Amino acid sequence: MHPPPAGAPWSAPPVQQLLIRDLLSRVRAWAPATRITYRDVRSHDYAEFLARVDRAAALLVGLGVRPGDRVGVMDWDSHRYLEMFFAVPMIGAVLHTVNVRLTPEQIGWTIRHAGDSLVLVHPDFLEIAAGLAPSLPEVRTWISLSDEGVAPETTLPLAGDYEPLLAARAGEAAGGWPWPDLDENTVATLFYTTGTTGDPKGVFFTHRQIVLHTLAAGATFAAHHRPVGIAADDVYLPLTPMFHVHAWGIPYLATMLGIEQVYPGRYDPQRLAEWIVRHRVTFSHCVPTLVQMLLHHPTAAGLDFSGLKLVIGGAPLPKGLAAAAQARGIRIMGGYGMSETCPVVAAPHWKPEHAAADDDTRLDVLCRTGFAFPLVEARIMGTDGAILPPASRETGELVLRCPWLTAGYYRDEDRSRELWQGGWLHTGDIAYLDADGYIRITDRLKDVIKIGGEWISSQELESALSRHESVREVAVVARPDPKWDEHPCALGVRREGAAGSGSERDLGRFLHRSIDDGTIHKRAILTEIRFVDALPRTSVGKVDKKEIRRRLAAE
């Protein structure tokens, strides 16, 4: 290559855009033969996956999808969903991951609000889709996502089934699809939060944000292997729905690294446990409820989970649950993020000095909220709106800044302004930064318990009670109190086979030990304790404290 002639004008090359398509550039040569498996239905290598993404682009464009259009997906975790994670945004359209656990009315509302023009539907949701179709005039095209590759009988006006439609585009995409050069700030994905009050809120992310989140998560989990890291020789199975914040963004990371992937379809505790063992799964992520199911399902009793690494989010990781998982050979830790944060922004990896620490200290660290990822500013804001000094250990609201936080809520200026008040993203979490620099969330603003003018953390009470041998899981909420304003009410679910090993009084005495040693506030002595058969859940498997409060208020 010859240099330009002396005196010739020079101009800088164009700035490289951060696009989702470029997450695939390395894996083409690195791991073409590594497998992607869907249930017992299909298994193919990355070379075939990449060809299928090309065909999916040809299919979508051929059906009239244009840049900026929204494409909805109603599916369980599958190889098809993974293909949509890439094909839809890479043609410049927006992937709407429909929360299929919402009510039919809410599903219809989100599809209308998003303005989806094409929707892909698993047969399990065809009846819902057919009932909604007359009220969704903007949806021009419906495609079924059957495992058999045959369009099911339905009143929904289907364009066909995904597999034969995809196969028909093989010739058109044989040489690879000509992906457009997009602006990195093009919106790539859209999904809707559960919505504890009012309508669900649309959260959206750009190509740039998803790429940066993928790189930051990859760097953090690759650099820090204790207690949980990720590597190219892992086997990944998601235990978080792909409709929920891109399954925490891990499918993008796993694909970029060429990791073997296993997609389970509809969650079934027995099948999940069996697949984890059969495929020698080494990395996953889920809410605490899923860990409870894996550990305590009857068919999992004799299974060997050694080698499995789990990141827990959506709710704090109780020490009792972490210890139970470790006893089964699982390496486990918490993690922190929100729908609005793409989502992971912190993880409680051990520092080098923790290698020599005792077991109790290391257990305490892995149950902390987390240490902020690179590029993440995590600060504590006081009630006056001022940022508190990092070393103060004062409690306030956790606020964030980093390059991959959502810019706001789709078509909702008022709630977007509230989210970003003062130039920081407001998490709604009460927290402090400890002496080691870890974030420690003590409660949600809406869940904190106010006793006689003092705040008591429901999460600290839950963590203490979870360590009792008779408790499988527990939730603590506030109840009105004529003397103290509020008092804690703990609802516990018994561990299987432990019905006779603990009573409400036994649990109260156990809690008093944590009060006596100063672990939790002395006014926790006012805690009301009950055992219940089960705790209510939200659509993404979290304990629904709003529903618990409603039921208690109705008594």
Side-chain angles (χ1 to χ4, degrees), residues 26 123 134 160 201 272 279 289 293 301 333 354 373 397 444 519:
R26 184 172 183 270
K201 295 174 286 190
L272 287 174
H279 292 284
T289 307
M293 291 168 60
M333 74 174 184
H354 293 133
F373 277 12
E397 184 184 8
R444 293 287 292 164
T519 304

Side-chain angles (χ1 to χ4, degrees), residues 501-531:
S501 64
S503 65
E504 284 87 350
R505 182 171 294 182
D506 292 333
L507 209 54
R509 284 194 289 263
F510 182 80
L511 183 62
H512 287 185
R513 295 180 204 168
S514 296
I515 297 171
D516 293 341
D517 67 17
T519 304
I520 56 178
H521 197 284
K522 62 184 179 180
R523 286 187 174 169
I525 198 171
L526 299 171
T527 302
E528 171 189 355
I529 297 174
R530 305 182 186 183
F531 277 110

Side-chain angles (χ1 to χ4, degrees), residues 21 24 28 47-59 61 87 90-91 169-180:
R21 73 178 186 194
L24 300 176
R28 293 179 186 274
E48 176 64 10
F49 160 74
L50 294 169
R52 287 171 63 88
V53 172
D54 288 335
R55 291 173 210 149
L59 171 61
V61 172
M90 284 163 58
I91 64 171
R169 300 287 175 169
E172 186 177 350
W177 189 253
W179 302 107

Side-chain angles (χ1 to χ4, degrees), residues 199-222:
D199 292 321
K201 295 174 286 190
V203 179
F204 56 92
F205 295 100
T206 66
H207 283 252
R208 171 184 169 83
Q209 289 171 321
I210 290 172
V211 171
L212 286 173
H213 178 269
T214 302
L215 296 175
T220 302
F221 281 98

Side-chain angles (χ1 to χ4, degrees), residues 15 18 29 65 109 177 190 200 229 242 252-253 304 332 335 347 436 537 548:
V15 174
L18 299 178
V65 176
W109 188 92
W177 189 253
L190 169 68
M242 297 178 80
Y252 284 119
L253 174 58
D304 180 10
I332 192 169
D436 295 322
R537 306 282 174 194
I548 291 174

Side-chain angles (χ1 to χ4, degrees), residues 116-453:
D116 295 346
S117 63
L118 184 149
V119 180
L120 301 99
V121 190
H122 187 279
D124 286 356
F125 312 114
L126 281 175
E127 184 177 350
I128 293 174
L132 293 172
S135 66
L136 300 173
E138 288 191 51
V139 180
R140 302 188 301 268
T141 308
W142 299 87
I143 296 173
S144 63
L145 298 169
S146 75
D147 289 352
E148 298 77 19
V150 178
E153 291 291 330
T154 176
T155 59
L156 198 65
L158 294 174
D161 188 76
Y162 181 73
E163 286 298 337
L165 289 173
L166 199 70
R169 300 287 175 169
E172 186 177 350
W177 189 253
W179 302 107
D181 293 320
L182 303 171
D183 186 294
E184 64 184 13
N185 295 307
T186 300
V187 175
T189 63
L190 169 68
F191 65 94
Y192 286 78
T193 62
T194 307
T196 54
T197 57
D199 292 321
K201 295 174 286 190
V203 179
F204 56 92
F205 295 100
T206 66
H207 283 252
R208 171 184 169 83
Q209 289 171 321
I210 290 172
V211 171
L212 286 173
H213 178 269
T214 302
L215 296 175
T220 302
F221 281 98
H224 305 291
H225 285 271
R226 296 289 182 269
V228 174
I230 193 167
D233 59 356
D234 273 316
V235 178
Y236 166 63
L237 182 151
L239 290 172
T240 305
M242 297 178 80
F243 66 71
H244 184 56
V245 210
H246 326 124
W248 298 0
I250 304 301
Y252 284 119
L253 174 58
T255 304
M256 180 185 75
L257 296 177
I259 289 173
E260 181 178 349
Q261 303 185 56
V262 181
Y263 286 88
R266 185 172 187 170
Y267 290 174
D268 173 89
Q270 177 177 341
R271 300 295 295 275
L272 287 174
E274 292 172 352
W275 281 323
I276 287 171
V277 174
R278 184 199 311 171
H279 292 284
R280 299 181 181 179
V281 173
T282 59
F283 187 88
S284 191
H285 47 85
C286 61
V287 295
T289 307
L290 253 297
V291 185
Q292 296 281 4
M293 291 168 60
L294 284 176
L295 294 179
H296 301 295
H297 195 277
T299 60
L303 297 180
D304 180 10
F305 290 128
S306 60
L308 177 61
K309 299 172 291 185
L310 284 178
V311 178
I312 307 303
L317 173 59
K319 290 182 180 178
L321 180 59
Q326 289 178 327
R328 295 289 298 275
I330 299 172
R331 287 166 54 185
I332 192 169
M333 74 174 184
Y336 177 72
M338 306 167 57
S339 296
E340 293 83 354
T341 61
C342 199
V344 190
V345 291
H349 288 102
W350 292 331
K351 291 186 175 183
E353 55 264 35
H354 293 133
D358 59 66
D359 290 343
D360 285 345
T361 298
R362 293 199 289 181
L363 180 66
D364 174 72
V365 174
L366 66 85
C367 290
R368 294 177 191 177
T369 303
F371 203 96
F373 277 12
L375 308 183
V376 175
E377 288 185 77
R379 300 290 184 267
I380 307 300
M381 182 176 285
T383 55
D384 60 355
I387 299 298
L388 301 175
S392 70
R393 297 194 64 182
E394 292 184 67
T395 299
E397 184 184 8
L398 176 65
V399 294
L400 301 169
R401 285 177 180 162
C402 81
W404 57 81
L405 308 181
T406 187
Y409 297 118
Y410 185 56
R411 295 170 55 191
D412 192 336
E413 289 189 12
D414 289 342
R415 289 197 282 189
S416 297
R417 194 175 297 111
E418 181 181 351
L419 178 69
W420 278 99
Q421 187 176 1
W424 292 88
L425 186 142
H426 289 254
T427 66
D429 288 317
I430 301 296
Y432 67 94
L433 297 176
D434 69 16
D436 295 322
Y438 290 87
I439 302 164
R440 297 247 199 164
I441 290 177
T442 60
D443 224 328
R444 293 287 292 164
L445 274 171
K446 62 186 178 183
D447 291 335
V448 72
I449 302 166
K450 305 170 187 68
I451 304 178

